[in-house]
Amino acid sequence: MPLFDTTATFIVLLVISYTIISSSNHHYASAFVSSCSFATKSKPPSIHQHVHFMMGKSQQQQRHNKSNKRNNKKKQSLESLLELETDLNDRGFKYVIGSDDSGGAGCIAGPVVVASCCVMEPYSSLFGGVSSDESTKADIKISQSAIDALSKVNDCKILTSTQRQEIYDIIAQYPDIFAITTAERSAQEIDDLNLLRATQLAFAESIETLVEQHELPYEQCYAIVDGKISPKLYADQREEESDMLTHKAFTKRFSVRPYVNGDANVFVVALASIVARVTRDTMMKEVHELNPEYNFDENNGYGSKSHIEVLHRIGSLEGIHRMSFKQVSGR
């Protein structure tokens, strides 16, 4: 093909490519022009190079969009986190219980820990700024510094370890306001039952314990668990009732629903995620003191590269590692 035809074809491709890119993003269009400035100095790039360039820019845009979504998710306001609880309170559910787990998928050692949390006081008595009623500000029962810390509550994975510990300490400092319970299932129980079953049993135990310890009226309770599945509460009692062939209605019954990303969208679930995370991290630090070669204080039992390398080198710990998991099996 003559040089003139090749150059003309190349110019047409440049114009078309620039039009497509500039219509979606002017910044990328400028970058495209700069990258193609060599055209007058050397032979034209191949069509494959053009396609590769545009695909790369498209992937960058997709990553940029995902990053924006994550950042927007992190900026949940306190009012937004309290929206569901406030609505449930207005519907007569005075006690909204949030539950979340730590040490689930991704962990190859240590227990799964579930925490449940319920704010026992009206939110207006804790956060005067959330309520438009100025009179409630006189009823606030916790310090301003505690309120400032709690206003930063969000998914525990977003917070630093220092922030998680600060919020955990505040929750523990006010037991009359923040009712919390935890339940765990060991590595052995996870191996025996499988992770999903073990976690659901821990969810049920944690919620039931909180309700029973504080003698909460069932008709005023509503539980929200992080994830896609809700636990079956009071399963043993339900079976006993069925065996007795009684027609009496089961009284220990209240609503429990799953909420995907609940730890980033519901205040009490976010609190529960922090309690579960701090509780489990503390447990794994204790395990680390007895077995420092596994660096449990850093990996917290997750299957990090260095953790897997240690498993290959010195093997697993019975009672600590989850022997049924692929990364551990046979080590």
Side-chain angles (χ1 to χ4, degrees):
M1 179 182 290
L3 178 61
F4 176 79
D5 291 342
T6 303
T7 303
T9 302
F10 173 57
I11 292 174
V12 170
L13 285 172
L14 278 178
V15 172
I16 294 174
S17 301
Y18 177 79
T19 302
I20 293 173
I21 296 173
S22 62
S23 65
S24 60
N25 192 303
H26 292 296
H27 174 73
Y28 290 155
S30 299
F32 181 81
V33 171
S34 298
S35 68
C36 295
S37 61
F38 67 89
T40 58
K41 301 178 183 180
S42 60
K43 66 179 182 178
S46 67
I47 292 179
H48 173 75
Q49 288 174 309
H50 281 298
V51 173
H52 179 74
F53 173 84
M54 287 188 286
M55 287 178 65
K57 291 300 181 182
S58 175
Q59 291 171 352
Q60 288 181 16
Q61 182 65 45
Q62 290 176 2
R63 287 194 294 268
H64 178 71
N65 292 339
K66 289 181 180 179
S67 177
N68 282 341
K69 289 181 180 179
R70 286 195 296 270
N71 290 336
N72 290 337
K73 178 180 175 181
K74 294 178 184 179
K75 296 176 182 177
Q76 290 275 28
S77 66
L78 179 60
E79 289 83 355
S80 176
L81 287 172
L82 290 173
E83 186 175 342
L84 179 56
E85 288 103 314
T86 302
D87 177 64
L88 288 169
N89 289 162
D90 291 342
R91 290 164 51 190
F93 297 105
K94 183 178 179 180
Y95 304 102
V96 181
I97 304 165
S99 296
D100 198 6
D101 68 290
S102 179
C107 272
I108 60 174
V112 58
V113 175
V114 170
S116 294
C117 182
C118 180
V119 179
M120 306 295 282
E121 297 285 342
Y123 290 109
S124 59
S125 69
L126 301 180
F127 309 107
V130 175
S131 173
S132 59
D133 184 358
E134 293 294 327
S135 65
T136 60
K137 294 186 178 181
D139 299 327
I140 297 176
K141 300 180 179 181
I142 59 179
S143 67
Q144 185 59 50
S145 61
I147 292 174
D148 293 340
L150 290 171
S151 68
K152 300 174 184 177
V153 164
N154 210 316
D155 176 5
C156 70
K157 295 182 290 295
I158 293 173
L159 304 175
T160 65
S161 60
T162 301
Q163 289 173 320
R164 289 194 295 267
Q165 188 64 55
E166 180 184 12
I167 293 169
Y168 178 90
D169 291 342
I170 292 171
I171 294 172
Q173 184 181 350
Y174 297 96
D176 294 336
I177 296 176
F178 301 102
I180 58 172
T181 55
T182 59
E184 65 179 86
R185 292 296 182 272
S186 67
Q188 184 62 58
E189 289 174 300
I190 291 171
D191 287 335
D192 293 341
L193 298 170
N194 76 47
L195 179 60
L196 177 60
R197 175 66 175 154
T199 304
Q200 291 303 304
L201 288 175
F203 266 120
E205 178 186 333
S206 179
I207 296 170
E208 292 168 11
T209 301
L210 190 151
V211 172
E212 300 301 326
Q213 281 185 352
H214 295 272
E215 300 181 342
L216 303 183
Y218 304 114
E219 67 277 6
Q220 295 183 34
C221 294
Y222 194 105
I224 304 170
V225 301
D226 184 65
K228 299 180 180 180
I229 304 174
S230 59
K232 185 176 181 181
L233 301 180
Y234 301 103
D236 293 339
Q237 291 93 326
R238 290 174 189 269
E239 291 176 4
E240 289 174 6
E241 181 186 74
S242 176
D243 292 341
M244 293 169 61
L245 300 177
T246 177
H247 296 289
K248 182 180 178 181
F250 186 72
T251 57
K252 294 183 178 181
R253 180 175 296 158
F254 53 89
S255 297
V256 54
R257 61 158 288 187
Y259 194 119
V260 176
N261 294 327
D263 50 5
N265 293 282
V266 183
F267 185 73
V268 285
V269 179
L271 289 179
S273 76
I274 293 168
V275 173
R277 176 67 180 271
V278 172
T279 300
R280 189 178 185 279
D281 285 356
T282 301
M283 296 171 67
M284 295 309 295
K285 285 182 174 64
E286 294 173 356
V287 175
H288 168 75
E289 291 178 2
L290 298 174
N291 307 278
E293 62 275 17
Y294 290 89
N295 296 317
F296 288 131
D297 61 331
E298 296 179 2
N299 60 50
N300 290 314
Y302 282 84
S304 64
K305 181 179 179 181
S306 60
H307 190 176
I308 298 299
E309 289 175 349
V310 174
L311 280 178
H312 282 285
R313 190 171 68 253
I314 62 177
S316 59
L317 291 169
E318 185 176 358
I320 301 298
H321 282 99
R322 301 174 183 179
M323 308 305 291
S324 61
F325 281 38
K326 181 178 179 181
Q327 302 97 315
V328 182
S329 180
R331 306 296 177 203

